Amino acid sequence: MKLFLPLFLLSTTALFAQPTVPGSWTISGDVQGYAISEVCTFTQTADKIAGSCVSDGKTYDTTVTIDGSKVIFVHGGEYEGKPLTLTYTGTYNDKGELSGDIDVKPLGYDGTFTATKTETATKTETK
């Protein structure tokens, strides 16, 4: 019993430290003076998280990777008709936010972002 309690506390601490990524996120940031504003929606199926991000009225398929408290999501984009790949690498904090860096390839530009989970109201049907 003495060994069980410390192991239980350690396992629950590790569980709560994991990011809760599925859901809708509002992303704001800056890349070389260009404002970034998107809404991303992620879903989880088994151990895979994916979704889409909407930026400037366009929807981009997005892949998500989680490594401890680090969350990386990647999607396409375009600038002046040329294709881009945006990689967001953020750290999940205890406030439920992600913040970190943006890498834009092939331009080699970088920036920063903050993502907050979008609260959705639960509708209750009445009859």
Side-chain angles (χ1 to χ4, degrees):
M1 184 65 172
K2 288 181 183 180
L3 182 59
F4 175 75
L5 185 57
L7 288 175
F8 175 75
L9 291 175
L10 182 61
S11 67
T12 57
T13 302
L15 177 66
F16 289 122
Q18 293 299 311
T20 306
V21 175
S24 183
W25 292 82
T26 300
I27 316 292
S28 59
D30 180 87
V31 173
Q32 306 282 321
Y34 180 80
I36 301 292
S37 178
E38 345 185 301
V39 174
C40 299
T41 304
F42 304 125
T43 56
Q44 184 167 358
T45 305
D47 61 349
K48 182 179 178 186
I49 299 175
S52 63
C53 292
V54 178
S55 177
D56 296 327
K58 295 182 182 177
T59 302
Y60 300 99
D61 290 337
T62 307
T63 60
V64 181
T65 306
I66 299 174
D67 182 13
S69 63
K70 186 189 300 183
V71 177
I72 301 167
F73 57 102
V74 180
H75 67 72
E78 80 176 46
Y79 179 70
E80 295 181 349
K82 296 181 182 177
L84 302 174
T85 300
L86 287 84
T87 302
Y88 295 77
T89 303
T91 303
Y92 187 79
N93 65 33
D94 59 353
K95 296 178 191 174
E97 301 170 332
L98 289 170
S99 61
D101 300 315
I102 306 170
D103 182 38
V104 182
K105 296 290 184 201
L107 299 177
Y109 292 162
D110 60 3
T112 59
F113 79 97
T114 301
T116 55
K117 207 149 195 192
T118 306
E119 297 295 324
T120 55
T122 304
K123 291 185 177 181
T124 306
E125 287 188 35
T126 57
K127 293 185 181 190

